[in-house]
Amino acid sequence: MQILELFGQFLYDLRTRKLRVFLAVSGIAWGALSVILLLAIGDAFHAASNKAFHGMGESIVILWTARTTKPYAGMKPGRSIEMKADEVLRMGSEVDEIGMASPELTHDGRTLEFGGHRVKAAVAGVIPEYEQPRNMIPMPGGRFLDPLDIEGRSRVIFIGNELKTKLFGDTDAVGHTLFVDGRPFTVIGSLTKKIQTSNYSGPDEDRAFIPYTTFISMWGNRDVSNTVLVPATPGDSEAMKRAVYRHLGRRMGFDPQDEAALQMWDTVEMDRFVNWFFWGVKALMGLGGILTLGAGGIGVANIMFLVVRERTREIGVRMAVGARDSDVLAQVLLEALLIVFIGGFLGFVTAAGVIAGINALPIPDWLGAPQLSPTVALVTVAVLAVVGLAAGYAPARRAASMDPVRALEF
Amino acid sequence: MIRAENLHKNYLMGRVTVAALKGVDVHIHAGEYVAILGPSGSGKSTLMHILGCLDTPSSGSYHLAGEPVQGLSRNQLARVRNERIGFVFQSFNLLAHATALGNVELPLVYNGSGRRVRQERAAELLERVGLGDRMEHRPNELSGGQRQRVALARALATDPDVILADEPTGNLDTAAGEEVVKLFEELIAEGKTVIIVTHDLEIAHRARRIIQLRDGRIEQDSSPPRWA
Ligand SMILES: Nc1ncnc2c1ncn2[C@@H]1O[C@H](COP(=O)(O)OP(=O)(O)OP(=O)(O)O)[C@@H](O)[C@H]1O
Ligand SMILES: [Mg+2]
């Protein structure tokens, strides 16, 4: 069966049944449009939310020490567990399941001053490795802490973007000296604005970060406020958490089964949940689109039944000159697919226009900018093919099972 | 070439069974020119459809070119129709949206011929039936006689041995009918087997053999082949 002849047939149907072909094609176009838009918006929303959830960090575990609830080695329950920074670093190097462990010492309400502006903010002492998992992305021209800063207890400071704006306005902060509780610090970088939906001691945009060694020299060797952990195996936070209980239980003297002795906030778990949630949202949206497309498919099936009926005699002629059942079947199926893909193409073009329109509007960050991604396109094409085949199948079967003489005498 | 024995065809009309053929025997040799005559409703078309593998008998046996036709699948029958038989209908049965060329190409589409081969063959056949200057015309742009000649060219596309024509001149005036009949006679000269149903006695008498049907039976066979 030649494609050209098929097109000829389609054009003939178009001429003789303008309204019906128009309705069938626009039904599919409308369905394709909704599938594409819903998928694209769902994807954008998912991506934006993922970014936002990961503002605090990707696949990290935040650890706090707490109180024991079980007696251990002659000690009563209710003892509070505390760690110093070196204990955290030791844990990081001794526990294989840990990929990275950064102590975080936080001092709230410090005074930061620059050029007559002064603000109160929390200052945290951390290590350079804190940068990547916690998404501390410096603005161009700046940097986060480095090992030399730790070694030299340098008076260097990395500031959140809100702090930067409050102290420096629009001007560049890097290289300037600001005062923390009256002592001079050189600004080495400021945070790139990020969407952060979760935090533990205030959003990063309002905080400042200095080497933990510098922190200790300024405010003493305090207990850490919390620890940031990254599993050695990405995503495998469970093994790491068990290892942490064993290690700290031994080091700090508590029962590793005493869950309450430590508190851990596992964003890996949350990631998993968020991903499931969004898959659910996308599946629902996709389903909505597919149902719309399905309704369009029914329109196509309907017109194909009419086409087959009106072409009964022609089908008889084809059979009389040697068309096999499969030739007749293929012809009807291909015509259904052609209608569906023409409709799909129109839907696709319209969707591209609508998406361009949406992106020209000020869309809130949390919603994300919808894109016509290859995945969306591929899914749409696959769904269209399924709809076309499903819509064409019953009419095609009817056509292919006709009796040649009955068809000719129709 | 054709050897049909004791053909019966019954149609079920609601509760009533209509017997359209009641035991027909036909033996036709390669190269014969046979006319089938008979009153309306005598079973001429029914017989032609069975001989043309468009329909199957309720009982009886049918061998075409020595091969049994009964028991063939739908696909196998389609192949027989495509390769061995050219059918010409009273009402032309051309595809309305296709050109003369496209219509003649159709059987070649279904035997898998390539585009070039199809077009060359179809053009050659249209030339032959005198429509070399009408190849791009659609059926509604052609006269009845021209349409029937397109249909005949189509029947010849795969060069089948047997041409079956069910009242090919029934919708034509005398002049146009005459041209079509002349073409059938040319085919006979080339050694094809031609069976033609007609109400026109003059046309029938130009055939070498006349089979008369009446009420589903053969009433008379003018020259039963002695050499069978
Ligand atoms: N599909 C059918 N269903 C029921 N009866 C049928 C069918 N086709 C034919 N018949 C009956 O079979 C008988 C033979 O019909 P057929 O068409 O073979 O006659 P015919 O000789 O070709 O007649 P005509 O000269 O009018 O074309 C008739 O009685 C007709 O009513
Ligand atoms: Mg008839």
Side-chain angles (χ1 to χ4, degrees), chain A residues 280-311:
Chain A
V281 169
K282 281 199 279 190
L284 271 182
M285 289 177 111
L287 192 69
I290 285 166
L291 286 180
T292 317
L293 203 48
I298 290 172
V300 174
N302 183 39
I303 193 171
M304 287 320 292
F305 269 119
L306 287 166
V307 162
V308 165
R309 204 183 135 77
E310 286 169 28
R311 252 191 241 151

Side-chain angles (χ1 to χ4, degrees), chain A residues 406, chain B residues 11 13 20 39-46 167 199:
Chain A
R406 297 300 95 70
Chain B
Y11 292 106
M13 297 282 287
S40 185
S42 56
K44 304 183 296 294
S45 295
T46 307
E167 297 189 48
H199 283 292

Side-chain angles (χ1 to χ4, degrees), chain B residues 73-146:
Chain B
S73 68
R74 279 174 69 96
N75 273 352
Q76 288 167 323
L77 287 173
R79 200 187 164 101
V80 171
R81 290 196 292 270
N82 183 255
E83 290 177 354
R84 301 200 159 276
I85 293 164
F87 213 109
V88 179
F89 303 89
Q90 177 175 2
S91 52
F92 321 128
N93 280 331
L94 299 174
L95 300 190
H97 58 86
T99 60
L101 202 66
N103 271 290
V104 178
E105 278 184 52
L106 200 59
L108 299 165
V109 168
Y110 295 119
N111 78 359
S113 300
R115 200 178 158 73
R116 274 186 63 88
V117 174
R118 289 202 306 257
Q119 283 181 343
E120 274 169 23
R121 173 81 178 142
E124 176 193 316
L125 286 165
L126 283 170
E127 292 282 0
R128 167 165 185 187
V129 299
L131 293 174
D133 54 344
R134 296 285 191 279
M135 297 205 199
E136 296 302 325
H137 287 240
R138 286 171 211 283
N140 62 1
E141 298 158 350
L142 295 170
S143 72
Q146 289 171 330

